[in-house]
Amino acid sequence: MKLLVIGAGGREHALAWRLAQSPRVHKVYVAPGNGGTARAPALENLPLQDAGALIEFARSEKIAFTVVGPEAPLAAGIVDAFRAAGLRIFGPTQAAAQLESSKDYAKDFMVRHHIPTAAYGTFTDADAARAYIRAQGAPIVVKADGLAAGKGVVVAQSLDEALGAIDHMLGENGAFGAAGARVVVEEFLDGEEASFIVMCDGQHVLPLATSQDHKRLLDGDTGPNTGGMGAYSPAPIVTPALHNRIMREIIQPAIQGMAHDGIPYTGFLYAGLMIGPGPDATRSLKVLEFNCRLGDPETQPIMLRVKSDFSETLEHALDGTLDQAEIDWDRRTAVGVVLAAAGYPDAPRKGDPITALAPDTVDCVTFHAGTTADGGALRTSGGRVLCVTALADSIRRAQQAAYDAVNQTQFDGRQFRRDIGWRALTAGKRHDA
C-alpha cells in the first residue's frame, strides 16, 4: 500500500522512515518533505501543501491513509477536509486541535475537567496583563495564545523580562500577529519535565514509549528556549507507578473530557508534564501544555525504538480498535542529538552546505529537518537541521554512539548540546527520581 505523511521536519522524516519499514508499505510520500526524505529510497517528496491538492493526490494515487505531522495543518482543518472527501487520515479535527492552537482554550478545558495545571490568567489588554504580573511576581511564564512555532513561550525570571514579553506580544507591532493577540500568563512550575505521548481513536488510548526532551539551547539547560535540542527514550523519571498516575489523572480525563464536550479526540496527543519532587504516589503532576501531534525531537528516538509494524498500529487507530493494538518496543535506550543552524533560535542562517553526514546504520540514523536538496548537495534550510539518533544498551552507550555520529557530521556554524540525556544519567543519584 501507499501512504502519505504531511510535513517537512525531523518528526515527519522519522515517522515516514518507520512506516517504510513495513513489508506491506510500497511507498511513503512526504508532503512537502525535506532534503533527507528526498534521498531515502522508500520515500518520495511531494511538493504540495494545499489541502485540496493533497486530497486530489490521495484520491488519484489510492493512498491507504494519511498521517499529519505538524500542528498548522491540523489547526487549519485538514483532517476535516480529508474526512469530508471520504479519505482516511490520522489526526485531530480542527475543533479538537484547539487543545494546542489556543492555550486559553486548553487551560479552560483543563480547569473544567479537573486536569492538574498551573494557575493562570488570560489577557488581551496589555495593562491588565502587566498588573497581573506585578501582583504575582517572578518567575512567571508568558505564552502567546496561538501557534507560534515553538517560540511563543517566555519563562521570565524577572519582572522586567515578563513585562518585556507582554510588550513583545501585545504591543503595537505584536511579534506573533494574531497568535499573540491574546496571552496566557501562568504560574511558574518547578520540577522535571517529561513528554507523555499517546495515540487516540476517539475512545481508546495506546501510550507510546516515554521520552524527555531538552528545550534550552545550551548545556546544563541554560540559554534561550528552543523547539528542542535533543531527546531520549525511555525517560527513567516516568516509573510504572507514575505512568499509571499520568494515564489516570491526565490522559483519560482529557480523552473523556473531549468526548463529553462533543469533540471526540483522534490522533496523537502529547502531554508536556512538570513532575515535582518526592515519592511517585504523592509527587505533584501538572500539565504544562497539550500538543495535538507527536513531539519533535521526541519522535526520532521513539520511532527508532518501534520494532513492530507501525502501519498496523495506525490502522487500528483509524478503525477505532486501538484497544486491540500493541507496540513491540526495543528495550534499549535511544538518544537523539539536534544539530541546529548558526543563529538559532533567534535568526537561523540558511543555505550552508552540509559537507559530511555520518552513514546510517541499523542502530544509528540521521533524521533531517531543516535541509534541502540542491542538485546533488544538501544545504541547511531551517533552524533545527538534523537529529542524529542512536540506539544502545544503556543511556551512556546510546549517548556515546550519537555523539560519535555527530562528530562525523559537518556544516558551518552548527550548534549542538553536548549533554543530551544528562538527566537520565543522573536519575539514579537523585533522591527525587
Side-chain angles (χ1 to χ4, degrees):
M1 60 183 176
K2 294 186 281 189
L3 307 179
L4 173 61
V5 172
I6 294 175
R11 165 186 47 225
E12 289 77 38
H13 187 182
L15 184 56
W17 170 86
R18 174 48 66 198
L19 289 170
Q21 312 297 311
S22 169
R24 308 184 311 145
V25 174
H26 167 63
K27 180 170 283 190
V28 181
Y29 294 95
V30 190
N34 57 44
T37 54
R39 294 154 63 108
L43 310 182
E44 184 174 325
N45 282 1
L46 187 65
L48 299 175
Q49 296 189 63
D50 173 73
L54 288 165
I55 286 168
E56 200 52 51
F57 177 84
R59 264 210 198 101
S60 64
E61 288 297 319
K62 297 182 169 57
I63 297 297
F65 62 82
T66 298
V67 186
V68 188
E71 61 273 25
L74 294 170
I78 195 164
V79 169
D80 308 70
F82 266 67
R83 286 184 181 176
L87 297 170
R88 283 159 68 82
I89 185 168
F90 188 61
T93 61
Q94 185 176 37
Q98 288 180 96
L99 274 179
E100 178 171 7
S101 64
S102 170
K103 292 181 176 63
D104 179 54
Y105 174 92
K107 297 293 283 191
D108 180 66
F109 172 84
M110 285 187 266
V111 169
R112 282 189 291 109
H113 293 288
H114 310 291
I115 297 168
T117 189
Y120 78 105
T122 300
F123 304 93
T124 55
D125 178 73
D127 288 338
R130 291 188 196 101
Y132 181 84
I133 286 168
R134 289 190 181 100
Q136 298 300 317
I140 198 163
V141 181
V142 181
K143 298 180 175 181
D145 176 61
L147 299 177
K151 296 172 185 172
V153 177
V154 175
V155 181
Q157 298 299 322
S158 68
L159 280 179
D160 284 347
E161 188 180 0
L163 296 171
I166 294 297
D167 293 341
H168 190 56
M169 295 181 195
L170 289 180
E172 282 186 26
N173 302 304
F176 303 112
R182 178 188 286 119
V183 299
V184 172
V185 182
E186 280 187 357
E187 164 196 14
F188 173 79
L189 298 177
D190 206 3
E192 188 167 336
E193 290 187 44
S195 306
F196 198 92
I197 306 171
V198 301
M199 298 174 70
C200 314
D201 65 10
Q203 182 178 359
H204 310 107
V205 177
L206 180 67
L208 299 186
T210 61
S211 58
Q212 198 165 27
D213 78 339
H214 298 65
K215 286 278 193 286
R216 299 283 185 168
L217 180 69
L218 304 175
D219 289 3
D221 291 334
T222 59
N225 255 338
T226 72
M229 292 300 292
Y232 57 92
S233 174
I237 190 172
V238 184
T239 61
L242 207 55
H243 191 286
N244 290 339
R245 278 191 61 200
I246 293 165
M247 289 295 292
R248 186 175 66 251
E249 297 174 24
I250 291 168
I251 301 299
Q252 293 292 357
I255 299 306
Q256 291 163 8
M258 292 298 282
H260 178 271
D261 290 353
I263 312 172
Y265 192 95
T266 59
F268 297 106
L269 181 65
Y270 168 122
L273 306 175
M274 183 64 80
I275 301 170
D280 285 348
T282 58
R283 66 198 307 174
S284 66
L285 195 57
K286 293 191 177 182
V287 178
L288 293 170
E289 63 178 353
F290 280 123
N291 290 331
C292 295
R293 52 180 168 82
L294 286 164
D296 188 345
E298 294 96 333
T299 304
Q300 291 87 315
I302 288 173
M303 285 297 130
L304 203 61
R305 292 187 59 214
V306 173
K307 293 176 70 176
S308 46
D309 188 332
F310 199 58
S311 70
E312 290 183 359
T313 312
L314 282 162
E315 284 194 314
H316 274 295
L318 289 161
D319 292 339
T321 55
L322 266 181
D323 55 327
Q324 301 171 31
E326 287 185 11
I327 299 175
D328 185 14
W329 296 103
D330 195 309
R331 295 178 66 85
R332 294 176 293 170
T333 296
V335 171
V337 179
V338 168
L339 282 79
Y344 180 77
D346 295 329
R349 192 169 74 202
K350 300 180 182 181
D352 286 311
I354 299 169
T355 54
L357 279 173
D360 285 348
T361 66
V362 173
D363 292 336
C364 187
V365 180
T366 298
F367 295 111
H368 291 236
T371 69
T372 186
D374 181 12
L378 275 174
R379 293 187 181 275
T380 63
S381 63
R384 292 183 294 168
V385 178
L386 304 165
C387 184
V388 177
T389 312
L391 197 58
D393 289 332
S394 68
I395 182 72
R396 192 174 295 281
R397 288 179 178 173
Q399 192 184 53
Q400 184 61 55
Y403 281 106
D404 285 347
V406 165
N407 291 334
Q408 299 174 56
T409 306
Q410 300 294 329
F411 59 89
D412 192 35
R414 66 184 185 149
Q415 299 185 77
F416 62 92
R417 281 181 56 162
R418 291 165 173 80
D419 65 347
I420 301 301
W422 73 267
R423 286 187 182 276
L425 281 170
T426 60
K429 301 171 188 173
R430 297 198 315 274
H431 297 300
D432 60 336

